Amino acid sequence: MLIPAIWIAALTYASELTLLSMGFTLTYLTAKVPNFAHGTYAGIGIYVSYTFSKILGFSPYLGFPFSFLIGGLMSIIIYFLVIGVLQRLGGGAIVLTISTLAIQIFLAGATNIYAFWLRAKYSTYAMLFMLKDFDFKIGDFPGIFIVSVGLTVSCVILLHYMLTRTKIGIAMRATAEDPELASVLGININQVQVFSWFLTGGMASLAGSMIPIWFMSTPTTGAAMITPIMAGSLLGGFENVYGAVIGGVVVGVSEIMLTYWGSVILGAWVGEYRPLIPMIFLVIILLIEPRGLQGAWERMTASDTGQSILKSLGLLKEEPVT
Amino acid sequence: MIQEIALGLLTSSVAVEGTSRLIVDIAMYFGLFVIVAMALNFQYGNAGIPNMGCAVQVIIGGFTVSAITTRLILTLVGNAGVEILPWTSDYDWVYNSPKNVNIVNSWLSGEPLFGVSMLLFTLAVSLILGAIIGWIIALPAIRLRATYLMIVLITMADASQIFGRNVVWISGGTLGIFIPDIFKWYPGDRTLVMAIITLLIGLISFFIFRTMLNSPYGRLMRAIRENEVTVGSVGKNVVGIRRNILMFASGITAISGALLGFYFSYVVEANYQRALWTYWPWLMLILGGPGNNAGTFLGCALVVAMRRVILVNKWFLQEIFFFPVAYFEQILLGVLLISVIMFRPNGLIPEKLLYIPGVNYRRLVDEEVVVDWRGAPKARGASSGISGIFRMLGGKKEEAGE
């Protein structure tokens, strides 16, 4: 095998995390609210996969479009019922964040109830499962590795195309920059918001439905992923979708690889502390550079020594306009 | 009649049961949550710090009881000549815990002074440790936006539980640690004493918080909540004040965790979950109305009574639903939080005006300020910008009079 199994796991996890981080950042850009329920969307995707494979007997891959649709529709419902209403009522950033936390608690309860119902009705292990048996193989690689990495890369490319070339993408960027000015220019902000909530919810649910094909899943798996999602988004600068891509990959790979190396060197007990790694990332980023990679980049381009370092690395081509 | 019942409860040597048991339980939980919710009100309602890490501060109190007080009691009792089983290694610490507690309890039944001094010692230590934790959690995010603080504190609540689960010498890992009964000397039910002590501590902290809010420092806090830039511009150290508030409130919150450990005679990390000790106090705060302690009391009483009644009628409810009541409580918590935020953003009892001794603040606010614009036609007509302001300040009263 060309790539060791642990790297396959790390890259699979990192690509799923990248999708989630990207969606989280997009929501933050358009709605200006850190969506704490974003991880729980992934939990719903997990159960869409479970329903398709264990209950209905199809391949879990068949459930991906449905997962995208269900996540997107749920996200739109949340926007119409809660977030949009609160924004119109003039709730501040803290009130909106608390409301997303409340949504997270509600959705976690709903996921738990659904899992419990599945267990009671079909007598299956719906509370702790893994869908590796439903996976296929391409050569030496497990199918989920190819599919997750491919899907994430194509999502990044599609999103880049959408944000730079299409009308709705440009409208989204304008709304992110200045909602009032965008509405003066004739952009229907409400439409843009609905679209972005649909997109992010769908992406999160899609990422979630890939998780159980490689990793052990419970009803709380999705909710527990919110810390790595935020660490990835914060590493990228919290307000930059491309930064979130880098952040998601870095946090995802390092979470798995640091745990693995730690358990090889120090002993198996390190595995228990795996959730601490994204948290350490969060704290270190906040202590050193609260604006993440974007802030670091801006600081580098602002100083002469930073510019010369960037030029020597080949990252900076032309003189930035001061 | 109430006096007779209270006296009967206090002096009876039988265990409290039935409805009285429920009342004692509600009183205990009300006391615990009112401490947490008032500290939260102090931080969010008055100073505008969205502390989503109450669970961290509460768990520190629990760890104080299990890791420090229990060790100290075991050491002191061992030195006093009582034979106790070995407890120094991790294995003995967990597996001899119930037996050791039994031995220690029989010794403690004749030592009221020792028990009370241990309680006071625990309260003091948890206050100090809570303040230290407040300083630590303030470190990465207090200078930044409120959202960052929320993110860091929520993740820290999980981190503290991970440590409690895996570091055995703190609270016995997943198995938990039994706590010696420091009220063994009391002939009646221990839980009753704990409930009364908790309510008393809640009352004391209420007076402390009220005094602080009505002092100049409290007005400074509210000023920071309203506009931190203005407060910073008149030379106040906003970051330092916020850190002080977080440290003080953390210390008070940690006390409730310590009391919970004594109430159960048992500490395990699963008792200090994030949902229970962060989200439910937030619901109490928002339901009652952030910014005033009366609202916090009301919200706390309503929510605690509701939760306890649900728990007591658990089997009845479980027949109606097909799923466990714990999931129903999650749904209920989410729906209640959202509906309170939407329909009553100011809570059941909205925030009142500040009480400042000697100043009739109500009159200042309600008084209609009549401005006679006819007196200053030139000033109003002056061009905007700095030159206009200077012209207005220049006091050209002669022109205005013309």
Side-chain angles (χ1 to χ4, degrees):
Chain A
M1 194 181 274
L2 275 172
I3 310 172
I6 190 73
W7 274 100
I8 291 183
L11 286 174
T12 310
Y13 180 72
S15 57
E16 286 154 6
L17 195 63
T18 306
L19 263 185
L20 286 164
S21 288
M22 230 158 55
F24 181 84
T25 312
L26 210 59
T27 319
Y28 188 76
L29 277 176
T30 48
K32 298 277 178 280
V33 48
N35 189 359
F36 277 86
H38 206 80
T40 321
Y41 292 176
I44 284 159
I46 288 174
Y47 276 91
V48 172
S49 265
Y50 185 84
T51 313
F52 258 80
S53 53
K54 285 263 165 106
I55 306 296
L56 300 177
F58 300 124
S59 161
Y61 293 102
L62 270 180
F64 282 9
F66 292 94
S67 174
F68 188 87
L69 271 181
I70 290 170
L73 286 178
M74 190 190 61
S75 188
I76 287 181
I77 291 169
I78 287 169
Y79 172 71
F80 273 125
L81 284 184
V82 184
I83 306 284
V85 177
L86 282 176
Q87 276 176 343
R88 237 171 293 136
L89 288 174
I94 292 174
V95 170
L96 277 172
T97 316
I98 293 169
S99 76
T100 63
L101 265 173
I103 293 163
Q104 189 258 316
I105 299 164
F106 179 85
L107 286 180
T111 318
N112 268 323
I113 288 171
Y114 180 65
F116 194 84
W117 179 75
L118 282 181
R119 197 177 74 170
K121 179 128 198 230
Y122 296 97
S123 318
T124 53
Y125 292 107
M127 309 294 265
L128 180 68
F129 62 89
M130 204 170 174
L131 303 175
K132 245 179 187 170
D133 303 343
F134 291 86
D135 202 8
F136 59 89
K137 279 212 161 196
I138 299 175
D140 275 345
F141 299 111
I144 184 62
F145 172 66
I146 313 273
V147 169
S148 64
V149 173
L151 254 179
T152 306
V153 169
S154 50
C155 265
V156 171
I157 292 169
L158 270 176
L159 202 69
H160 175 72
Y161 176 79
M162 197 199 75
L163 284 174
T164 48
R165 298 290 144 79
T166 61
K167 241 179 190 170
I168 185 86
I170 290 163
M172 268 167 87
R173 277 162 60 206
T175 314
E177 282 292 323
D178 191 338
E180 284 177 14
L181 202 60
S183 68
V184 166
L185 288 171
I187 292 169
N188 188 342
I189 292 186
N190 202 25
Q191 231 169 32
V192 170
Q193 291 265 20
V194 170
F195 180 72
S196 98
W197 279 90
F198 176 76
L199 201 66
T200 53
M203 264 158 56
S205 187
L206 185 65
S209 55
M210 293 192 285
I211 292 172
I213 303 176
W214 186 278
F215 298 99
M216 194 62 96
S217 302
T218 65
T220 52
T221 305
M225 277 189 79
I226 190 66
T227 316
I229 293 170
M230 281 180 177
S233 182
L234 197 65
L235 181 61
F238 226 57
E239 294 182 343
N240 191 331
V241 179
Y242 309 112
V245 175
I246 300 171
V249 172
V250 170
V251 172
V253 168
S254 55
E255 188 180 335
I256 299 242
M257 292 318 288
L258 286 180
T259 317
Y260 173 68
W261 288 328
S263 59
V264 166
I265 296 165
L266 298 170
W269 58 270
V270 177
E272 290 286 336
Y273 293 91
R274 178 182 152 184
L276 285 186
I277 292 171
M279 213 200 84
I280 294 168
F281 260 97
L282 267 179
V283 171
I284 289 176
I285 296 162
L286 285 178
L287 282 176
I288 296 173
E289 175 59 70
R291 291 188 55 230
L293 290 174
Q294 197 191 6
W297 174 263
E298 278 169 17
R299 209 189 268 180
M300 292 274 264
T301 46
S303 69
D304 290 335
T305 46
Q307 277 186 28
S308 59
I309 291 169
L310 286 177
K311 267 178 202 160
S312 65
L313 287 172
L315 288 168
L316 194 69
K317 298 255 161 52
E318 63 218 53
E319 293 283 320
V321 184
T322 47
Chain B
M1 194 192 119
I2 296 167
Q3 276 180 340
E4 279 172 15
I5 291 174
L7 274 175
L9 274 175
L10 268 174
T11 50
S12 73
S13 57
V14 287
V16 185
E17 276 169 1
T19 316
S20 323
R21 171 77 246 167
L22 178 65
I23 292 169
V24 169
D25 205 36
I26 289 178
M28 179 71 202
Y29 269 84
F30 174 73
L32 287 174
F33 274 106
V34 104
I35 296 171
V36 179
M38 263 191 318
L40 191 60
N41 182 24
F42 190 67
Q43 294 161 82
Y44 174 66
N46 293 298
I49 305 169
N51 181 3
M52 281 283 174
C54 306
V56 190
Q57 302 159 357
V58 177
I59 212 171
I60 286 302
F63 288 167
T64 310
V65 176
S66 67
I68 296 175
T69 312
T70 310
R71 258 164 229 277
L72 186 69
I73 290 178
L74 286 176
T75 319
L76 288 178
V77 173
N79 287 347
V82 181
E83 271 191 33
I84 48 176
L85 299 170
W87 52 273
T88 37
S89 76
D90 272 2
Y91 181 87
D92 293 336
W93 172 239
V94 176
Y95 286 93
N96 286 339
S97 163
K99 290 175 194 166
N100 269 342
V101 165
N102 264 339
I103 297 168
V104 170
N105 274 356
S106 58
W107 185 79
L108 274 173
S109 58
E111 301 278 335
L113 203 65
F114 183 79
V116 172
S117 60
M118 275 301 125
L119 177 71
L120 293 178
F121 168 79
T122 312
L123 295 187
V125 172
S126 59
L127 194 71
I128 294 164
L129 284 181
I132 292 171
I133 277 294
W135 185 77
I136 291 171
I137 59 182
L139 208 58
I142 197 91
R143 287 168 196 280
L144 306 166
R145 262 180 298 174
T147 358
Y148 291 139
L149 189 68
M150 283 164 106
I151 292 169
V152 170
L153 289 181
I154 282 180
T155 54
M156 276 193 181
D158 283 354
S160 63
Q161 259 192 299
I162 291 169
F163 280 118
R165 207 175 302 143
N166 294 301
V167 185
V168 176
W169 61 264
I170 297 180
S171 69
T174 46
L175 289 169
I177 280 291
F178 287 86
I179 307 296
D181 182 1
I182 50 171
F183 291 107
K184 196 69 188 172
W185 46 271
Y186 177 68
D189 200 302
R190 168 180 54 92
T191 54
L192 196 66
V193 189
M194 277 318 298
I196 291 168
I197 287 176
T198 312
L199 286 176
L200 265 180
I201 290 174
L203 200 67
I204 294 168
S205 50
F206 164 71
F207 281 112
I208 292 173
F209 282 133
R210 203 186 67 150
T211 318
M212 281 192 81
L213 289 178
N214 290 338
S215 70
Y217 203 80
R219 295 196 281 279
L220 186 59
M221 278 163 58
R222 295 200 184 199
I224 288 176
R225 178 190 68 184
E226 294 304 329
N227 195 335
E228 60 182 270
V229 179
T230 316
V231 178
S233 73
V234 294
K236 300 287 182 189
N237 180 3
V238 175
V239 173
I241 291 164
R242 272 200 184 148
R243 185 173 294 141
N244 289 351
I245 291 163
L246 204 56
M247 281 171 72
F248 181 70
S250 290
I252 301 271
T253 315
I255 282 178
S256 76
L259 291 170
L260 184 74
F262 281 129
Y263 180 63
F264 282 133
S265 273
Y266 179 64
V267 171
V268 66
E269 49 80 33
N271 267 344
Y272 298 92
Q273 274 167 1
R274 182 178 69 182
L276 179 61
W277 290 104
T278 306
Y279 299 152
W280 285 102
W282 267 90
L283 175 64
M284 291 165 195
L285 175 70
I286 292 176
L287 177 68
N292 65 339
N293 281 327
T296 311
F297 268 86
L298 181 66
C300 203
L302 286 176
V303 172
V304 168
M306 186 191 76
R307 286 205 64 205
R308 288 286 119 187
V309 168
I310 286 178
L311 207 66
V312 167
N313 297 317
K314 185 178 160 186
W315 302 113
F316 171 70
L317 282 170
Q318 214 129 308
E319 278 174 18
I320 302 174
F321 311 126
F322 58 87
F323 48 80
V325 175
Y327 304 151
F328 170 68
E329 277 199 329
Q330 276 183 325
I331 298 253
L332 193 70
L333 175 60
V335 170
L336 275 178
L337 258 178
I338 292 174
S339 43
V340 170
I341 290 174
M342 269 190 191
F343 300 117
R344 276 206 87 96
N346 289 329
L348 294 174
I349 306 177
E351 187 181 353
K352 291 191 184 67
L353 289 172
L354 267 181
Y355 163 75
I356 305 171
V359 179
N360 191 344
Y361 199 63
R362 165 72 58 188
R363 198 183 65 86
L364 274 178
V365 173
D366 287 350
E367 191 178 19
E368 278 185 37
V369 183
V370 184
V371 181
D372 193 0
W373 285 110
R374 287 170 304 173
K378 291 273 169 60
R380 194 175 46 161
S383 66
S384 59
I386 293 172
S387 63
I389 294 169
F390 275 130
R391 213 171 299 157
M392 278 195 283
L393 290 175
K396 301 197 173 173
K397 282 171 189 168
E398 306 89 347
E399 287 180 25
E402 283 169 16

